Amino acid sequence: MHRLIADAPDARPRSGRSRSLALAAPLLAGSLVLSACGTRDDGSGDDGGQEATTVTIGFDAPLSKDLAAVGLGMRNSAQLAVKQANKNKLVPGVTFELAAKDDQATPNIGQQNAAAFVADTSVIGVVGAYNSSVSAAMQSTLHDATMVQVSGANTAATLTQGARYKTDPQREYDNYFRTISTDAVAAPVMAEYFFKDLKIKKIATVDDKKTYGTGIVENFTEAYEKLGGKVAIHQSINPDESDYAAVVNSVKSSGAQGVFYGGEYPQAGPLKKQLVAAGFDGPMGGGDAVKDDQLIPLAGGKSADGVCAHSDGAPVDSLDSAKSFVADYKAAGYSEGYGVFGAYVYDATTALMKAVGAAVEANDGKVGDIAQLRPKVVDAMQKVAFDGATGKVGFDAYGDSVNQVISVNCVQDGAWKNGVKIVTVK
């Protein structure tokens, strides 16, 4: 196992909570309008005949359109956590229910979903979103309601440490947490892999203009250039388009030996396919949003060879801690795979339910009014620590995951080979 030591700035978290009764009317209206967009699953927990209080866990992700496969795998993982919590009576006297909403990977829909969750008096907290840009749109609404938001997929460092995360990190939203590492942690691992392991000294960078894509390219570029690499050209694509000829031609003529793409697999696959068709045979790197089985057919099978993307932690199927999660997920018979984020969403959902348990216990074992319990769950969430499917689960002063292990995965012979390099970042 290789180790990459990264300097960490002194933690100077800033927390602040604000509430506004003026939000109540529009939030309620948003809830009524969006009620048809959600689905609920009570987990079918057996309460043994005893009366239990139902507490709802909100869930937000893209459940339709291009990113449906990854979003549905995340939703299934959250459902599994809820079902197991009810079966095992994780919180005595409480039955958890999952309310899932589709944000279609669109920030304004995510914000509307957040408003609907706030207005629903049974919702204690929210798991999601998948896209960093969507979570950014949700944060202030959930913060104003002092409601936990926890993601098992967001990686933009700005979400926890603010716009000046490199020089003056500040925690703006003390209700936001994540069980996955940030791009500021993972992108330097990919930069080192390309520069040192693959010997790529000159690279082209491409982003999709979104928060995640531009952020990971920025973090990759900084680390790559610090190692001595040169960025030959930087380009952007429109993710709503499918013809990337102009970008492909620019990359090919730049003299770059490889490409690093900041974006998601629905565009990464076609971009790689078009690069190969144009005669460009260099490797293509990307972040965890590129690491999906669907990338391979999108890239044209063998044309996907040479794509390398990082993922959080060691490969899930190799972790002893994840064996139960993997077996239980398969036994549940879900149509979609859990994907690269499933185990992290499972742990995120479990963390939220554990925080609810701590808050209820401190409240004399009673749930009481959900609106009054929400801030207590936020406080309890900061202290949550347990051994999860992905390993140690806990949060630092910014709400970031304390478990920072990064895997490099590459497509070889038309299939992903996971964990070709595993790095512990400290």
Side-chain angles (χ1 to χ4, degrees):
M1 180 176 289
H2 301 270
R3 290 181 179 268
L4 178 69
I5 309 300
D7 293 331
D10 293 335
R12 285 174 286 177
R14 179 183 69 199
S15 64
R17 298 180 184 166
S18 60
R19 304 181 190 179
S20 175
L21 293 176
L23 285 173
L27 293 182
L28 179 57
S31 177
L32 294 173
V33 170
L34 290 166
S35 61
C37 299
T39 58
R40 290 179 183 265
D41 182 350
D42 65 4
S44 301
D46 180 8
D47 62 6
Q50 298 179 353
E51 184 177 353
T53 301
T54 298
V55 174
T56 303
I57 303 294
F59 175 85
D60 180 271
L63 304 179
S64 62
K65 299 188 175 181
D66 287 350
L67 295 169
V70 67
L72 291 169
M74 291 168 59
R75 183 205 61 188
N76 297 343
S77 300
Q79 284 181 344
L80 180 62
V82 167
K83 288 179 180 180
Q84 292 182 339
N86 289 335
K87 179 181 178 181
N88 299 326
K89 295 182 174 59
L90 179 66
V91 182
V94 171
T95 295
F96 289 103
E97 179 178 87
L98 190 76
K101 291 187 181 294
D102 178 12
D103 61 34
Q104 299 180 41
T106 304
N108 65 344
I109 296 178
Q111 194 282 328
Q112 292 171 351
N113 289 348
F117 285 134
V118 170
D120 186 336
T121 56
S122 73
V123 176
I124 194 66
V126 176
V127 177
Y130 165 71
N131 302 85
S132 291
S133 56
V134 174
S135 274
M138 300 172 70
Q139 280 184 312
S140 63
T141 298
L142 297 175
H143 177 262
D144 287 348
T146 56
M147 180 187 291
V148 166
Q149 179 183 3
V150 57
S151 175
N154 292 159
T155 57
T158 54
L159 294 174
T160 44
Q161 300 183 32
R164 298 189 301 274
Y165 65 90
K166 294 179 183 177
T167 58
D168 185 27
Q170 299 286 342
R171 187 177 186 182
E172 185 175 2
Y173 300 109
D174 63 347
N175 65 310
Y176 177 88
F177 303 84
R178 56 178 143 207
T179 54
I180 194 167
S181 298
T182 73
D183 296 330
V185 173
V189 173
M190 288 300 295
E192 184 176 275
Y193 182 73
F194 266 66
F195 186 80
K196 294 184 176 180
D197 295 68
L198 299 184
K199 310 298 183 185
I200 301 297
K201 309 300 182 182
K202 190 177 181 181
I203 202 165
T205 58
V206 181
D207 68 58
D208 63 357
K209 304 179 184 178
K210 296 182 182 180
T211 299
Y212 167 78
T214 57
I216 197 169
V217 165
E218 178 184 341
N219 281 283
F220 175 90
T221 297
E222 182 177 350
Y224 185 73
E225 291 181 337
K226 188 176 292 186
L227 289 167
K230 180 181 178 181
V231 175
I233 191 173
H234 173 72
Q235 296 279 281
S236 296
I237 66 166
N238 185 339
D240 295 326
E241 297 177 354
S242 57
D243 184 352
Y244 308 133
V247 170
V248 168
N249 290 334
S250 295
V251 169
K252 187 178 178 182
S253 62
S254 71
Q257 300 168 299
V259 177
F260 183 83
Y261 175 67
E264 296 151 343
Y265 70 88
Q267 292 75 37
L271 177 60
K272 181 61 162 63
K273 184 176 184 178
Q274 292 173 39
L275 284 166
V276 172
F280 185 86
D281 60 359
M284 186 172 85
D288 45 11
V290 168
K291 175 65 172 65
D292 193 278
D293 289 342
Q294 292 299 313
L295 172 125
I296 296 172
L298 288 171
K302 286 287 290 181
S303 293
D305 285 2
V307 173
C308 294
H310 73 253
S311 61
D312 221 52
V316 169
D317 55 8
S318 73
L319 292 173
D320 288 341
S321 59
K323 285 183 177 179
S324 292
F325 164 75
V326 173
D328 292 342
Y329 191 98
K330 291 180 178 178
Y334 294 116
S335 299
E336 305 82 14
Y338 52 79
V340 71
F341 301 106
Y344 294 91
V345 172
Y346 175 86
D347 282 348
T349 308
T350 301
L352 175 53
M353 292 187 292
K354 283 181 174 290
V356 172
V360 169
E361 183 178 2
N363 199 40
D364 297 325
K366 301 176 182 178
V367 173
D369 182 79
I370 292 292
Q372 294 183 17
L373 189 66
R374 286 170 177 173
K376 297 177 183 179
V377 175
V378 172
D379 292 338
M381 190 72 168
Q382 185 65 58
K383 302 171 186 175
V384 165
F386 64 98
D387 292 327
T390 59
K392 295 291 182 182
V393 177
F395 309 102
D396 67 12
Y398 298 103
D400 283 323
S401 172
V402 297
N403 187 3
Q404 298 187 347
V405 176
I406 306 297
S407 291
V408 176
N409 319 281
C410 297
V411 180
Q412 299 176 1
D413 297 323
W416 283 104
K417 181 177 181 180
N418 298 324
V420 297
K421 184 176 183 179
I422 301 173
V423 178
T424 298
V425 181
K426 290 186 177 180

